[in-house]
Amino acid sequence: FFFFFFFFFKQKTAYEMLRSLVGSEMCIRDSQRRVHGVPPGNNMYGFHPFYMIHTHNPRTFAGVFLLTSNPMDVMIKHIGMHTEIDHILTGGILEMFLIGKGSAEEVVKEYHYVIGKPHPLPFWAFGYHQSRWGYENIDYLKLVLRRFEEESIPLDGVWMDKDFMVNHRSFTLDTRRWFGLRELIDELHSKGKHFVAIIDAGIAKDEGYTVYTRGLEAGLFIKSNDTKEPLLGITWAGYSVWVDFLHPGTPNYWAKILQEFHDLINFDALWLDTNEPSNFCDGECPDHATYHYYYFPLDYYDDLYYNPTHRPLEAKTVSVEGIHSGDPVLATEFNYHAMYGYYQSKMTANFFVENLKKRPFIVSSSTFPGSGRYATHWLGDNYSTWVDMELSIAGMIHFGMYGIPFVGANICGYSGNATDRLCARWMQLGAFYPFMRNHNNPSGSPQEPYVNNTIKIASKHAILTRYSLVRYIYTCLLYTSDAADDMQCVDLGGRRIIKKKKKQKKK
């Protein structure tokens, strides 16, 4: 075999892929390259050990899926007319799936049969979504919604970041700044609109916080290998712990707090953020000291015979020595780190099906092979640049291959300030994303589709174009799921739009 194109095992930008064909590390983190100084080529939110290779026949491919959750390096060597790949692993349970030769479409389809097909989504998920971290109070949000109505701009999903929480604590509502939120959500429902709330993975360590005390009493948090107490880290909520989704008691606990949250805020979908899981310190953070990674000695996992990340494995995430429920040797964070978001998504999807009796619409930051059976994804914290807008196209293609076809980038960019021309162009491109959402950070300039005439004219036309195509896009996404496997959209040659299987006549 030789390589025509190499689809990397993880989530990073296409530009970084092409630059780093000599080597690539796999270990999930919540990081932004330009902000945090992460060297180009390092991994971010996802872990997908699958790639395709091009054979000598220009129309045939083959697939390789190395199923493992442990950190590794993948080294690519170009030797003459041949290419070799070295997988340098740190251990763990390994399963390799070799997918025989066929078209690219056939190889990807076989891979999806192995990991599971994407789940069907509610129809409204395919409309336009508006989000921002920085809607300070309910009056600000009402103003945004009123402007959408005044400008006659279609809107299906209203997304809330951490603004509605008390001290950034998930499952809480600041009734001082957000009094009347449930009534506002009911009003949205009466107008055919929907509300999406965020959940951060870290649970604040506070004896007055019932989400923490319930989990503590039942022993449902990841434990420290040193103290055998809940493993401590730092998140937006302060000193925090993390739910152990492998514990047999967690499903009832998770369903109960989600139901209480739904009673408080009548959400229609959930946004699972920082579930890499993200940590503001490196590894375990003692709550009695000012913490920095290099003030403490290296632990066992940072002194491996080979460090595939070429930096501490615990950088900006929880300690890999954390203990999960189960086998005392195998049930460590080192083995399950890459799967944290997968298990959280699975348990959250079960809540939607069993408790709310509706199709799950869950957007997860962290993903793993098979995550598409329970959740969707957005491409993470991007920047308001032309380059990031261009790279979003490759990102969506990659995640379609990974079995998560409903994906999109933060339109107009999350960090920095988009120019009017860039934001207008990005809204036009976003009309063709499977997931069309505009999202921004608190320090950025407003980028709603009505902020000025340049953006408004382009955005309104783009959103109306989106709604003219929404049934087609919905059908195209459905054919990949078990709910509508009798439909097929445009094939690689573009020869058909929708093809239904003929129903067999009853004898």
Side-chain angles (χ1 to χ4, degrees):
F1 296 106
F2 66 93
F3 279 82
F4 172 77
F5 195 84
F6 188 88
F7 292 95
F8 258 93
F9 299 81
K10 57 192 187 177
Q11 179 175 351
K12 61 180 183 178
T13 65
Y15 174 66
E16 290 169 349
M17 287 181 182
L18 297 176
R19 291 189 60 202
S20 60
L21 288 179
V22 294
S24 179
E25 55 89 359
M26 294 186 65
C27 186
I28 292 179
R29 306 176 196 277
D30 177 12
S31 60
Q32 292 177 277
R33 176 168 51 85
R34 298 176 185 82
V35 172
H36 298 294
V38 178
N42 282 340
N43 198 16
M44 293 172 64
Y45 313 99
F47 188 102
H48 295 273
F50 168 74
Y51 61 94
M52 291 195 299
I53 53 181
H54 206 187
T55 68
H56 289 285
N57 186 328
R59 294 188 177 183
T60 60
F61 292 78
V64 179
F65 174 34
L66 180 61
L67 179 55
T68 182
S69 59
N70 292 91
M72 73 171 84
D73 262 351
V74 180
M75 308 301 294
I76 305 171
K77 301 176 183 178
H78 300 286
I79 304 173
M81 294 297 293
H82 301 279
T83 301
E84 296 181 359
I85 305 177
D86 289 338
H87 299 78
I88 307 175
L89 301 101
T90 57
I93 299 173
L94 306 177
E95 290 185 77
M96 177 170 281
F97 298 82
L98 302 177
I99 301 174
K101 293 188 293 184
S103 67
E105 182 182 16
E106 291 169 343
V107 171
V108 170
K109 185 180 293 186
E110 288 298 322
Y111 174 58
H112 291 177
Y113 278 122
V114 174
I115 64 173
K117 294 183 178 181
H119 70 284
L121 296 167
F123 184 71
W124 65 269
F126 295 82
Y128 176 71
H129 302 266
Q130 183 62 48
S131 175
R132 181 175 184 175
W133 183 9
Y135 292 148
E136 300 174 351
N137 52 52
I138 194 169
D139 293 330
Y140 194 123
L141 182 58
K142 287 180 178 179
L143 176 61
V144 171
L145 296 175
R146 185 164 62 249
R147 287 298 307 276
F148 269 90
E149 292 182 351
E150 290 172 352
E151 301 295 342
S152 299
I153 299 175
L155 175 66
D156 259 290
V158 179
W159 293 60
M160 286 298 301
D161 211 308
K162 304 172 185 64
D163 301 286
F164 67 88
M165 299 178 184
V166 178
N167 297 326
H168 296 135
R169 297 178 180 184
S170 297
F171 311 105
T172 63
L173 175 64
D174 186 343
T175 55
R176 181 179 60 84
R177 293 184 300 118
W178 292 92
F179 181 78
L181 179 59
R182 184 174 179 83
E183 289 72 20
L184 178 60
I185 296 173
D186 291 338
E187 182 181 346
L188 288 175
H189 290 163
S190 69
K191 297 178 180 179
K193 296 177 173 58
H194 304 82
F195 184 84
V196 186
I198 193 172
I199 294 176
D200 279 348
I203 303 298
K205 181 189 176 185
D206 184 348
E207 297 295 337
Y209 182 34
T210 57
V211 176
Y212 169 75
T213 55
R214 287 181 194 170
L216 182 65
E217 292 170 358
L220 302 180
F221 299 128
I222 300 174
K223 292 180 172 56
S224 166
N225 186 51
D226 296 324
T227 66
K228 303 302 185 281
E229 297 294 326
L231 189 151
L232 277 180
I234 299 176
T235 67
W236 291 105
Y239 282 105
S240 303
V241 297
W242 286 269
V243 176
D244 179 4
F245 288 99
L246 300 180
H247 195 288
T250 300
N252 289 335
Y253 162 80
W254 192 246
K256 186 173 182 178
I257 60 175
L258 285 178
Q259 185 61 61
E260 292 176 353
F261 186 44
H262 188 264
D263 295 339
L264 181 67
I265 298 176
N266 190 19
F267 57 80
D268 301 286
L270 286 175
W271 173 11
L272 305 181
D273 199 12
T274 66
N275 58 352
E276 293 74 25
S278 174
N279 187 4
F280 289 174
C281 62
D282 301 332
E284 189 170 358
C285 313
D287 59 359
H288 59 275
T290 301
Y291 183 83
H292 190 280
Y293 179 87
Y294 296 102
Y295 295 166
F296 294 84
L298 296 175
D299 61 26
Y300 171 79
Y301 290 106
D302 281 321
D303 198 23
L304 294 168
Y305 67 94
Y306 182 81
N307 189 333
T309 65
H310 307 293
R311 56 181 173 151
L313 289 178
E314 297 177 344
K316 300 304 178 185
T317 191
V318 301
S319 172
V320 293
E321 290 189 334
I323 301 173
H324 289 265
S325 175
D327 187 291
V329 176
L330 296 178
T332 63
E333 180 66 11
F334 181 71
N335 290 326
Y336 283 98
H337 174 74
M339 303 179 72
Y340 190 88
Y342 169 87
Y343 282 111
Q344 185 189 31
S345 298
K346 181 179 180 180
M347 204 166 290
T348 306
N350 289 339
F351 166 78
F352 274 81
V353 174
E354 296 175 6
N355 292 61
L356 301 185
K357 310 299 181 185
K358 61 171 60 176
R359 288 182 180 179
F361 181 20
I362 299 161
V363 179
S364 174
S365 173
S366 173
T367 57
F368 187 80
S371 287
R373 296 165 62 189
Y374 311 108
T376 63
H377 181 64
W378 89 106
L379 295 177
D381 296 343
N382 56 0
Y383 295 83
S384 299
T385 68
W386 292 95
V387 172
D388 282 66
M389 183 179 73
E390 178 185 3
L391 295 177
S392 69
I393 300 172
M396 286 180 292
I397 294 173
H398 296 154
F399 270 90
M401 184 181 70
Y402 299 151
I404 310 175
F406 190 80
V407 65
N410 292 325
I411 295 175
C412 296
Y414 176 78
S415 296
N417 295 317
T419 63
D420 291 351
R421 183 165 175 263
L422 171 60
C423 194
R425 287 295 190 188
W426 210 327
M427 287 293 293
Q428 292 171 334
L429 173 63
F432 301 96
Y433 285 175
F435 177 32
M436 187 183 186
R437 186 185 72 156
N438 184 316
H439 182 53
N440 199 3
N441 76 89
S443 61
S445 300
Q447 56 190 38
E448 286 80 8
Y450 53 73
V451 290
N452 59 49
N453 283 333
T454 301
I455 295 177
K456 182 174 67 175
I457 293 172
S459 297
K460 189 171 182 179
H461 185 268
I463 294 172
L464 291 174
T465 300
R466 167 62 172 226
Y467 277 90
S468 72
L469 298 171
V470 70
R471 288 177 174 80
Y472 168 73
I473 298 172
Y474 177 71
T475 303
C476 287
L477 267 292
L478 266 185
Y479 98 88
T480 64
S481 71
D482 292 333
D485 59 359
D486 62 337
M487 289 189 176
Q488 191 167 5
C489 293
V490 177
D491 67 5
L492 295 182
R495 290 184 292 271
R496 63 183 181 274
I497 296 179
I498 296 175
K499 181 179 180 180
K500 294 185 178 182
K501 292 182 180 180
K502 293 181 179 180
K503 294 183 179 179
Q504 294 182 353
K505 294 182 179 180
K506 295 182 179 180
K507 294 183 180 180

